[in-house]
Amino acid sequence: MQTELSKRLGAEHAVFGFTPFPAVAAAISRAGGFGVLGAVRYGAPEELARDLDWMQDHTGGRPYGLDVVMPAKKVEGVSEADVEAMIPEAHRQYVGDVLAKHGVPELAEGEASGWRITGWMEQVARSQLDVAFDYPIRLLANALGSPPADVIARAHDHGILVAALAGSAKHARRHADAGIDIVVAQGYEAGGHTGEIASMVLTPEVVRAVDPLPVLAAGGIGSGEQIAAGLALGAQGVWLGSVWLTTEEADLHSRALTRKLLAAGSGDTVRSRALTGKPARQLRTEWTDAWDDPAGPGPLPMPLQGLLVAEAVSRIQKYEVEPLLGTPVGQIVGSMNYERSVQAVFDDLTRGFERAVDRINRIAGRAV
């Protein structure tokens, strides 16, 4: 499963694995893929530095990258406190009412929320980059489109390729014009922030739109056969995220959530603004239903929604309140039926890819 792009980055397989867990990212790289660590959950730069130190010690010299969340346009002089002050009291009350309805306990006195989307704030993402550029990362990915021009230039000065996610050919062309090196075509089936176009349609559209830039296919991919399909559509690799959530190396801190993922079908997800304020595919729960309820106030725009629900999500996760307990995940969740190691996932991906190639060779009348 090697392509020109994976060779350029020093990876055996053109499988780019996005994950918030350092142990998973390192295992992906060790297995021959390209691990990409999500930075959005890191508030303090020293926390990211600690985990990048760990990655350095556990990737065996294999390549890896970092995923940040930065808007293309910079907003000056706005602090987290300024943003918090914009949250209407009616929305705070609604959060309290939903939690009270389900009997969700308060955090202990003095206990800080363990889940803050401060990484959505540009100044936090920039502080993360100040740390990351001291490490030999090979790829910088941005989940909110093209990062600011100065960030792209800084990455290139360090010999780092820059990738950006796109949900349409129009978005992809903007990335190309901004100087991006790799476009991730993320289809409707994907977990997290995603657009309206399915992967089978989106991937070839983006490939044509940005040629000769390399494209990674993303969304609904969790088997070797699907990897072969993505490459057949013109992609130079695939971007996988959801499939790693039920690996043995993943640290969800909740057996209840793992059980929900293993039991879920492909129809048990929903695109909802409940988590961040932008449409993000996640497990459908009574929490997402509450925010999609016309009788409620509706979600706030990013980053207000993420700041609004941060403590609530921490409480739901800590006390494992199952009706409300969820996570971003794609429609591939219907195939995530048992826990296995990252290496076992790669073994299955490789076998599936070989089966698909053999099948096409037979159809084409070529000897296998």
Side-chain angles (χ1 to χ4, degrees), residues 82-108:
D82 294 331
V83 177
E84 288 262 18
M86 300 177 190
I87 298 173
E89 187 57 37
H91 280 74
R92 296 187 188 277
Q93 183 61 50
Y94 188 68
V95 170
D97 290 345
V98 174
L99 296 179
K101 176 183 176 181
H102 291 274
V104 183
E106 298 275 357
L107 296 176

Side-chain angles (χ1 to χ4, degrees), residues 68-352:
V68 297
V69 179
M70 297 186 72
K73 295 181 180 178
K74 186 175 182 178
V75 179
E76 299 282 1
V78 179
S79 68
E80 184 178 340
D82 294 331
V83 177
E84 288 262 18
M86 300 177 190
I87 298 173
E89 187 57 37
H91 280 74
R92 296 187 188 277
Q93 183 61 50
Y94 188 68
V95 170
D97 290 345
V98 174
L99 296 179
K101 176 183 176 181
H102 291 274
V104 183
E106 298 275 357
L107 296 176
E109 186 175 352
E111 182 179 358
S113 168
W115 190 89
R116 297 287 288 171
I117 315 189
T118 53
W120 302 118
M121 308 293 292
E122 183 183 347
Q123 62 267 33
V124 176
R126 285 183 176 274
S127 70
Q128 293 169 346
L129 292 178
D130 289 340
V131 170
F133 287 140
D134 287 335
Y135 291 83
I137 62 172
R138 300 290 305 277
L139 175 72
L140 176 66
N142 191 48
L144 278 184
S146 304
D150 67 296
V151 172
I152 297 174
R154 190 177 174 192
H156 287 167
D157 287 344
H158 284 79
I160 298 168
L161 299 184
V162 181
L165 275 64
S168 71
K170 178 176 69 175
H171 293 156
R173 281 191 289 268
R174 288 179 188 165
H175 296 340
D177 292 341
I180 292 297
D181 304 293
I182 302 166
V183 176
V184 181
Q186 177 145 298
Y188 172 83
E189 310 95 322
H193 296 125
T194 182
E196 303 279 354
I197 305 173
S199 298
M200 187 64 72
V201 173
L202 179 66
T203 300
E205 285 187 349
V206 171
V207 168
R208 289 193 296 269
V210 301
D211 184 60
L213 285 185
V215 172
L216 300 179
I221 300 174
S223 72
E225 288 86 351
Q226 290 168 314
I227 293 174
L231 299 186
L233 293 172
Q236 284 204 33
V238 293
W239 179 273
L240 276 59
S242 297
V243 72
W244 315 112
L245 290 172
T246 51
T247 57
E248 294 167 355
E249 292 89 348
D251 188 13
L252 289 178
H253 296 295
S254 173
R255 292 305 303 170
L257 180 55
T258 298
R259 288 195 298 271
K260 290 187 76 170
L261 288 169
L262 295 174
S266 56
D268 292 330
T269 68
V270 63
R271 286 173 74 248
S272 170
R273 298 177 185 267
L275 192 61
T276 69
K278 283 184 176 290
R281 186 172 297 284
Q282 54 204 278
L283 278 181
R284 182 175 182 178
T285 66
E286 293 190 31
W287 178 256
T288 61
D289 287 348
W291 285 103
D292 292 337
D293 187 345
L300 296 167
M302 180 187 279
L304 299 182
Q305 182 71 12
L307 293 170
L308 169 67
V309 305
E311 182 179 320
V313 172
S314 284
R315 289 164 61 184
I316 291 166
Q317 291 176 345
K318 176 178 179 178
Y319 299 110
E320 297 192 322
V321 184
E322 293 206 30
L324 303 176
L325 189 61
T327 185
V329 69
Q331 292 180 328
I332 196 64
V333 71
S335 299
M336 295 158 48
N337 306 129
Y338 56 94
E339 291 181 82
R340 49 187 172 154
S341 68
V342 168
Q343 183 61 62
V345 171
F346 266 90
D347 292 343
D348 287 344
L349 294 176
T350 302
R351 285 191 289 266

